[in-house]
Amino acid sequence: MGSVYRHELSSAFTGLTAYVFSAFLLLFGGIYTMAYNISMRLANFELVLQSISFLFIIIIPVVTMRTLAEERHQKTEQLLYALPLTMTQVVVGKYLALVTQFLLPVAILGLYPLALKLFGQVPMEAAYAALTGFFFLGAALLAIGLFISSVTESQSVAAGLCFVVMLLNYFLESLAELVPGTAAASLAAFGAIVILVGFGIYSMTKNAVFSAVLTMLALAGNLLVYAWRASVFEGLFASVIRELSLFSRFYTFVTGVFDWTAVVYDLTVIALFLVLTVEAMEKRRWSE
Amino acid sequence: MIEVSHLTKRYGSHLALDDLSFTIPEGQIYGLLGPNGAGKSTTMNILTGCLAATSGQVRIDGVDIFEDPMAAKKHLGYLPELPPLYMDRTPEEYLRFVARAKGVGDVPGELERVMALTQITDVKDRLIRNLSKGYRQRVGIAQAILGDPDIIILDEPTVGLDPRQITEIRELIQKLGENKTVILSSHILSEVQAVCDSILILSRGKLVACDTPDNLERLLTGGTALELEADTQPERLEKILGNLPGVTGLTVGETADKHAWARLETGKENLENLSKAVFFRFCDEKLPLLRLTPAKASLEDIFLELTGGKEA
């Protein structure tokens, strides 16, 4: 794991990705600090972090796109398979290298509240709670980006796909509010998702019967619950989506609350996507 | 030592490897030969743990590659068909990464030893992207032999190289084969013949032969023949050779430079006697022999015969 980590990190710093990562966050971090904290004389650094969190939509695809897709494209993944390394070591090593690249701008942003403090009162706890939330949000999104990079051979496809997923993530809450609060609308939305997941399972397992049966069962389950007590579904879709949104959980930090559940949720997302990435890599050993 | 038993690999409905079994003893150079698509790369990918088999067993120095891949891979060095190189790194950086991954990053002098052996010390600080194909291949081989594994597996190591580079890589392989087990794949016969102690011939996923180059030749050469050339007309040649004892078949013809040639088929044991008889017969006729050679089936013929002759 250490070898992959060091290799990835030195590649990132030999190339541009690590610098792009830092430069982007710091440039916009600086602009918003100027605007909010200096021009508008607000003491809250959290607002800066909230404002620059939209940058993830762009940077996450850029820094994660090549991580595994390029290995596959250049056939260097053969080396990773042949070396005495487990796929878990490879994936975790690569992921930690990404997180380290992210940690650099986060650490520099961490100096801003200290600098601002020289000129007046700054709510430090709130600022650093928000920074922690910001870090975990980024770390979770990096894990998603890494997974997307593992399912395709092309960097541009990985970047495009990742961009769409990040965009969806960012606007998830607003999108969820578009779904009417009625029970029937929720049921329809869940049905659509079940069918989508069914297709996803089919594309991964290539087992039509298995995925069809699973989809049918899930749909039937939904219908049964709906028939039993339709009121359960009222507004359910929107609230589930809100719970799933990584960004909305980060905004809780911005309001000054250190939300442990959000940290746990982010860690769960990280673990889930790392496991999925390892599985995606292992699967290729079987099918190609 | 590599033991392969009943190895089968399916890609959907396509049977890439069909019940392959063989054993490769220590300290020999084995050639895996076969036309394109015979299953050479698939076999090598499975042996090195890069690919899972549908069924069957592979043991590397007694360790099952599917059950304990980490332990088995420590005995292996692998150069895939396309050298897995990071183009934006230098050979030294690249090899340092591989050395660390193999757990030999701290062994002093290991990197230098490997670079000296593969003669890439001069280019160790250049980007791999800027290296010639021959050098890239060497970096690939250097990667495979890092950590001094007992078994080195090279997939088409000389493909796409110029003749001088081919000779250099072959010499390197022979040097490695002095105390390691080396398996190399190729679809070029002369290459396998030149460097290998033994040859495995694959055709459509099946093992069709496994023997030394000499034995393969002997095994598959049914009858033996003599070929000769003399400064005369074919008709006269036919008359002279017409009633020699032990000849089972005679063909005569004319060469491009107006000489007559003949091919005499005979049983295996008779070759020497027949040569003497031909010599004395020509002496009697006071006719000079320009050429007299035993003709035997070449590996090329064997290969074509075994693999069905079409794709070769």
Side-chain angles (χ1 to χ4, degrees):
Chain A
M1 188 161 84
S3 54
V4 176
Y5 172 74
R6 288 168 82 164
H7 172 71
E8 281 298 308
L9 211 54
S10 79
S11 282
F13 281 97
T14 324
L16 274 177
T17 43
Y19 302 107
V20 169
F21 207 150
S22 289
F24 239 67
L25 280 175
L26 293 178
L27 173 68
F28 281 85
I31 290 174
Y32 279 98
T33 310
M34 279 292 291
Y36 286 143
N37 303 125
I38 298 175
S39 298
M40 293 165 73
R41 294 163 190 269
L42 292 169
N44 306 79
F45 185 65
E46 310 87 89
L47 296 175
V48 173
L49 294 174
Q50 179 176 23
S51 305
I52 63 172
S53 66
F54 84 89
L55 286 175
F56 284 134
I57 301 173
I58 302 155
I59 4 180
I60 300 287
V62 172
V63 294
T64 57
M65 63 180 185
R66 65 194 304 275
T67 320
L68 287 161
E70 188 66 0
E71 298 267 3
R72 193 166 170 190
H73 182 67
Q74 298 284 348
K75 310 281 178 212
T76 43
E77 66 169 0
Q78 282 236 315
L79 178 71
L80 301 178
Y81 285 122
L83 285 172
L85 295 170
T86 61
M87 268 309 124
T88 312
Q89 287 175 318
V90 171
V91 169
V92 174
K94 280 178 176 282
Y95 177 67
L96 288 181
L98 286 171
V99 171
T100 310
Q101 291 171 55
F102 176 46
L103 211 49
L104 183 72
V106 166
I108 297 174
L109 284 172
L111 300 174
Y112 289 18
L114 292 177
L116 293 172
K117 201 171 186 299
L118 298 175
F119 305 102
Q121 283 290 327
V122 177
M124 296 302 259
E125 291 91 343
Y128 285 106
L131 194 64
T132 314
F134 185 74
F135 170 70
F136 278 105
L137 169 67
L141 296 175
L142 282 174
I144 298 176
L146 181 66
F147 169 67
I148 292 171
S149 174
S150 77
V151 293
T152 165
E153 186 174 334
S154 147
Q155 280 192 50
S156 16
V157 172
L161 209 60
C162 188
F163 179 70
V164 171
V165 170
M166 291 300 135
L167 212 58
L168 274 177
N169 238 311
Y170 190 72
F171 290 111
L172 205 54
E173 233 187 316
S174 332
L175 286 175
E177 276 155 16
L178 292 179
V179 176
T182 63
S186 267
L187 180 71
F190 278 117
I193 288 192
V194 165
I195 291 171
L196 272 180
V197 169
F199 273 112
I201 293 175
Y202 172 68
S203 79
M204 280 194 233
T205 60
K206 300 271 178 267
N207 188 332
V209 181
F210 174 73
S211 18
V213 167
L214 213 64
T215 310
M216 289 302 175
L217 279 178
L219 283 177
N222 269 323
L223 278 173
L224 272 179
V225 175
Y226 184 74
W228 173 59
R229 195 171 283 176
S231 62
V232 173
F233 275 93
E234 269 167 33
L236 187 64
F237 188 72
S239 60
V240 166
I241 291 294
R242 204 169 299 125
E243 290 297 311
L244 283 177
S245 166
L246 289 160
F247 280 93
S248 65
R249 282 175 183 267
F250 163 62
Y251 298 149
T252 319
F253 284 94
V254 177
T255 59
V257 180
F258 194 97
D259 184 5
W260 278 106
T261 59
V263 174
V264 172
Y265 180 63
D266 286 336
L267 289 174
T268 315
V269 169
I270 293 170
L272 173 71
F273 278 94
L274 290 187
V275 168
L276 285 176
T277 311
V278 171
E279 291 307 314
M281 296 291 287
E282 282 293 345
K283 178 178 167 274
R284 223 169 300 153
R285 200 195 291 257
W286 286 90
S287 52
E288 277 174 26
Chain B
M1 169 106 154
I2 303 176
E3 298 153 279
V4 173
S5 51
H6 305 293
L7 198 62
T8 301
K9 175 71 185 176
R10 260 175 207 288
Y11 294 109
S13 61
H14 172 64
L15 193 60
L17 291 183
D18 186 3
D19 198 35
L20 212 59
S21 295
F22 57 87
T23 302
I24 295 179
E26 267 162 58
Q28 289 217 334
I29 304 180
Y30 263 67
L32 198 55
L33 190 65
N36 294 326
K40 302 186 297 283
S41 291
T42 303
T43 308
M44 293 193 145
N45 277 332
I46 293 177
L47 290 186
T48 51
C50 292
L51 194 66
T54 309
S55 65
Q57 201 184 35
V58 175
R59 294 173 80 83
I60 307 290
D61 283 342
V63 185
D64 192 305
I65 186 93
F66 306 128
E67 279 169 16
D68 193 357
M70 289 302 117
K73 284 178 189 174
K74 289 208 159 72
H75 299 278
L76 287 170
Y78 180 36
L79 172 70
E81 198 170 351
L82 279 170
L85 305 172
Y86 294 103
M87 295 297 164
D88 53 350
R89 317 312 305 276
T90 67
E92 191 176 9
E93 289 169 337
Y94 171 73
L95 292 174
R96 182 151 289 136
F97 159 60
V98 176
R100 285 198 190 114
K102 287 187 175 185
V104 294
D106 305 326
V107 178
E110 174 64 8
L111 230 54
E112 289 70 24
R113 177 189 77 89
V114 166
M115 288 196 289
L117 194 63
T118 49
Q119 296 171 18
I120 53 170
T121 315
D122 297 344
V123 297
K124 71 184 165 73
D125 295 323
R126 287 169 58 183
L127 287 183
I128 294 178
R129 185 202 314 279
N130 300 330
L131 296 182
S132 69
K133 207 161 178 192
Y135 270 115
R136 288 186 194 178
Q137 199 73 18
R138 283 158 196 265
V139 178
I141 296 179
Q143 162 273 123
I145 62 180
L146 257 176
D148 207 21
D150 311 326
I151 298 163
I152 298 157
I153 298 183
L154 310 168
D155 197 352
E156 310 224 344
T158 58
V159 109
L161 302 184
D162 69 38
R164 212 186 94 217
Q165 292 169 329
I166 291 181
T167 323
E168 285 170 358
I169 297 278
R170 276 188 199 159
E171 279 166 8
L172 177 60
I173 292 170
Q174 270 165 331
K175 203 190 281 178
L176 292 173
E178 283 165 13
N179 45 18
K180 304 277 170 204
T181 306
V182 180
I183 308 178
L184 65 97
S185 75
S186 178
H187 57 269
I188 307 160
L189 269 162
S190 55
E191 170 160 295
V192 173
Q193 208 170 359
V195 295
C196 297
D197 300 315
S198 284
I199 301 180
L200 297 160
I201 300 181
L202 276 183
S203 175
R204 296 187 193 93
K206 276 186 197 290
L207 186 64
V208 289
C210 171
D211 217 326
T212 62
D214 291 346
N215 276 347
L216 276 178
E217 275 180 350
R218 209 170 301 143
L219 186 77
L220 283 130
T221 314
T224 312
L226 270 186
E227 282 177 357
L228 59 89
E229 204 178 311
D231 188 9
T232 179
Q233 295 80 37
E235 298 76 32
R236 184 163 176 221
L237 195 61
E238 195 170 358
K239 211 183 285 171
I240 297 170
L241 299 170
N243 53 354
L244 276 173
V247 174
T248 54
L250 172 66
T251 337
V252 292
E254 197 172 25
T255 64
D257 41 2
K258 300 283 177 202
H259 294 150
W261 65 263
R263 184 181 167 94
L264 298 157
E265 307 283 345
T266 179
K268 276 180 190 175
E269 298 76 20
N270 281 329
L271 203 58
E272 202 178 311
N273 289 336
L274 186 65
S275 299
K276 286 177 190 163
V278 168
F279 173 78
F280 288 122
R281 180 67 59 89
F282 272 77
C283 284
D284 294 344
E285 295 283 335
K286 296 223 172 348
L287 187 65
L289 257 175
L290 297 178
R291 184 167 72 89
L292 179 63
T293 46
K296 51 182 185 173
S298 69
L299 262 183
E300 202 90 35
D301 301 327
I302 300 169
F303 181 66
L304 290 176
E305 188 181 327
L306 287 174
T307 56
K310 269 173 273 170
E311 298 104 316

